[in-house]
Amino acid sequence: MRMRILVVLSAALFLFVTSGAPRAFAHGEAADEPFLKDLTVAFYDVHISPTAIKVGEPVTITGTVKILETWPYTLDPPQTAYITPVVPGPVFALVDREVNGTPTPGSILVDKGQTYHFKMVMRGRDPGNWHVHPGIAIQGTGTLIGPGEWVRVAPSAEPFKMDVTLLTGQTVNLEHYGGSFVWWWSFAGFVIGMVWMVYWTVPKRTVTRLAVTTQIPVNDDAPDIGLITPRDHMWMDVLAGVTIAMLIVGWVYMAVKFPVRLPQQTVRFTPDVVDPTTHPAQVIKANSTFDDRTDTLSIDLTIKNNGTTPLSLKQYIMAMATFVNGSKEEQAKAGPAHYVGPMQVEPDTPIQPGEIGKVQLKISSPLFDEERLIPLHDPQERIAGLLRFTDPQGHEDLVTLRTDLVPTEFRPQYLP
Ligand SMILES: [Cu+2]
């Protein structure tokens, strides 16, 4: 009776889950804890274009990611990382990647405080509407993602092709190269395994009389009940022989068909430092508050200008979001629209060389909630990001800001 209720309940749950499922479009980006987004990296100047292509055509992702000095001590220090497009499955093929101007086929060696300018070119493989982000996968931590953009890939008259020229001069289409051989060879191995499994389970009593067979010690053929016969040994020897023959055939085939081989290449390097390591702007003091009811972040800053030109505060960059003190055009240029918002700076006057200025930033944005950027119920209420200053000559200075955050108002649902 209880069993029947369980079956009915799970069937109902199955129907509920499968029928009412809305289309999933995010990558679980909001699921990451706020500290994992804010204190680790900051993405800015991300551009993904074009946003409508046909199968086979290129999409270019450019942008910058800085591994912040505020990297949390609770995570392994960042050492090996991989800058990558984050897309739903192999719907694009990456064909080119550069980090700080150097071709980067694989992982790079990274450090806290360093800035990485990336450019990735990928070609549309499967038609569909895909959300494309840049991301940085850091060993021991996981993939941290930047701002994303929808890219529509329309079908093309020609199927997807990915021609590459080998060192031997031969051109192969990677989309299908060696595909049927790999399929049939794996299938041959699968058949041997299936024969073995069916042999011992279907005609034999090994499984159907489990109560008996589990009583027999290991390595006991149990000849008195006819469990494993000499004939069985003979057939198992045949299967083992076929497996070894397959391996030998495989080695000989590889040696004859591909006389020139190279081991898989690992190109791992530390990208050149291309950003200035000294900063004219210095954060002397920072206090911040967050009003959860209006999604408003306020930061009181005391900034010293150690440089020789006046500095104006133009942006605050936090995880994958950029907040801009500027016109609508300046906001549009800052990155994918969904991840950009306005910022008020009070007073909005440049800080003169040698001077110490006090400014207040005010940012009201639904992104704080949507992308879960603000730690409101964490043991450490701490945020970090990049303050972006410019001088009249257009030089920029990006400095890391870390501040402990005081929540001022909570949404009603959090109240007891
Ligand atoms: Cu996405």
Side-chain angles (χ1 to χ4, degrees):
M1 190 57 203
R2 181 179 283 177
M3 190 67 200
R4 205 179 297 170
I5 293 171
L6 258 180
V7 169
V8 170
L9 276 182
S10 34
L13 183 70
F14 175 78
L15 282 177
F16 172 74
V17 169
T18 51
S19 61
R23 200 168 72 104
F25 67 90
H27 302 136
E29 53 207 60
D32 281 342
E33 296 283 340
F35 85 94
L36 196 51
K37 298 191 190 95
D38 305 346
L39 303 181
T40 52
V41 297
F43 278 90
Y44 56 97
D45 291 347
V46 170
H47 296 284
I48 299 165
S49 73
T51 51
I53 56 156
K54 277 188 175 164
V55 165
E57 291 175 354
V59 173
T60 303
I61 308 172
T62 55
T64 304
V65 58
K66 175 167 183 177
I67 301 184
L68 301 178
E69 298 86 343
T70 54
W71 186 270
Y73 64 87
T74 47
L75 299 174
D76 288 342
Q79 279 183 323
T80 308
Y82 183 81
I83 296 177
T84 179
V86 177
V87 293
V91 294
F92 291 90
L94 185 67
V95 291
D96 195 22
R97 173 172 39 212
E98 276 179 19
V99 175
N100 290 356
T102 309
T104 308
S107 298
I108 50 173
L109 302 171
V110 296
D111 214 344
K112 274 188 248 183
Q114 296 302 338
T115 304
Y116 304 96
H117 304 269
F118 54 82
K119 179 184 173 207
M120 296 182 277
V121 181
M122 54 186 198
R123 288 169 49 217
R125 199 163 160 264
D126 286 348
N129 199 18
W130 312 117
H131 210 212
V132 173
H133 299 251
I136 182 165
I138 298 185
Q139 194 172 6
T141 297
T143 303
L144 306 164
I145 67 171
E149 189 92 77
W150 287 102
V151 176
R152 183 174 289 280
V153 182
S156 153
E158 277 171 41
F160 180 76
K161 245 176 104 180
M162 196 170 170
D163 284 338
V164 291
T165 306
L166 306 181
L167 286 182
T168 57
Q170 189 197 354
T171 299
V172 297
N173 177 9
L174 275 190
E175 184 68 1
H176 297 295
Y177 185 65
S180 60
F181 176 80
V182 168
W183 199 93
W184 284 108
W185 194 249
S186 311
F187 185 72
F190 171 76
V191 167
I192 297 175
M194 277 306 282
V195 169
W196 182 86
M197 196 189 78
V198 170
Y199 185 97
W200 287 109
T201 51
V202 177
K204 289 273 183 192
R205 288 169 292 182
T206 42
V207 174
T208 50
R209 308 247 173 109
L210 211 54
V212 177
T213 47
T214 50
Q215 298 301 312
I216 298 165
V218 185
N219 296 329
D220 187 347
D221 282 1
D224 45 333
I225 57 166
L227 189 65
I228 300 174
T229 64
R231 220 181 134 70
D232 297 335
H233 279 283
M234 189 270 285
W235 281 116
M236 289 309 110
D237 291 345
V238 169
L239 284 184
V242 172
T243 308
I244 291 166
M246 234 184 106
L247 289 174
I248 293 169
V249 168
W251 287 323
V252 171
Y253 174 79
M254 179 184 71
V256 172
K257 178 122 195 242
F258 306 100
V260 182
R261 297 188 301 276
L262 270 179
Q264 188 163 10
Q265 299 297 292
T266 304
V267 183
R268 204 166 271 193
F269 65 99
T270 306
D272 291 339
V273 175
V274 292
D275 285 72
T277 47
T278 55
H279 297 284
Q282 183 192 354
V283 180
I284 306 241
K285 210 169 148 210
N287 293 312
S288 59
T289 61
F290 186 73
D291 180 335
D292 191 30
R293 286 188 308 183
T294 58
D295 280 324
T296 304
L297 174 68
S298 308
I299 308 177
D300 287 314
L301 285 173
T302 307
I303 304 284
K304 185 169 184 210
N305 182 353
N306 295 317
T308 51
T309 51
L311 292 173
S312 310
L313 181 51
K314 297 308 270 182
Q315 291 183 2
Y316 177 58
I317 298 150
M318 189 177 183
M320 73 276 277
T322 300
F323 302 104
V324 181
N325 171 27
S327 62
K328 284 265 177 265
E329 288 94 69
E330 283 171 290
Q331 286 183 39
K333 271 193 250 160
H338 181 73
Y339 299 86
V340 174
M343 164 174 90
Q344 283 167 33
V345 178
E346 200 61 48
D348 191 12
T349 45
I351 302 166
Q352 297 305 318
E355 272 187 16
I356 292 175
K358 279 186 196 268
V359 286
Q360 189 189 47
L361 305 189
K362 233 184 180 77
I363 308 166
S364 293
S365 172
L367 274 177
F368 293 131
D369 191 43
E370 278 171 33
E371 296 295 333
R372 215 171 153 215
L373 294 176
I374 301 290
L376 279 176
H377 301 274
D378 290 5
Q380 286 183 329
E381 308 276 328
R382 178 171 288 172
I383 57 167
L386 288 170
L387 294 169
R388 189 180 206 162
F389 296 90
T390 55
D391 73 5
Q393 285 79 48
H395 299 133
E396 296 201 321
D397 188 29
L398 287 104
V399 286
T400 304
L401 166 75
R402 182 178 73 179
T403 153
D404 288 312
L405 183 122
V406 179
T408 53
E409 295 282 349
F410 289 97
R411 277 172 212 274
Q413 67 259 36
Y414 292 134
L415 293 173

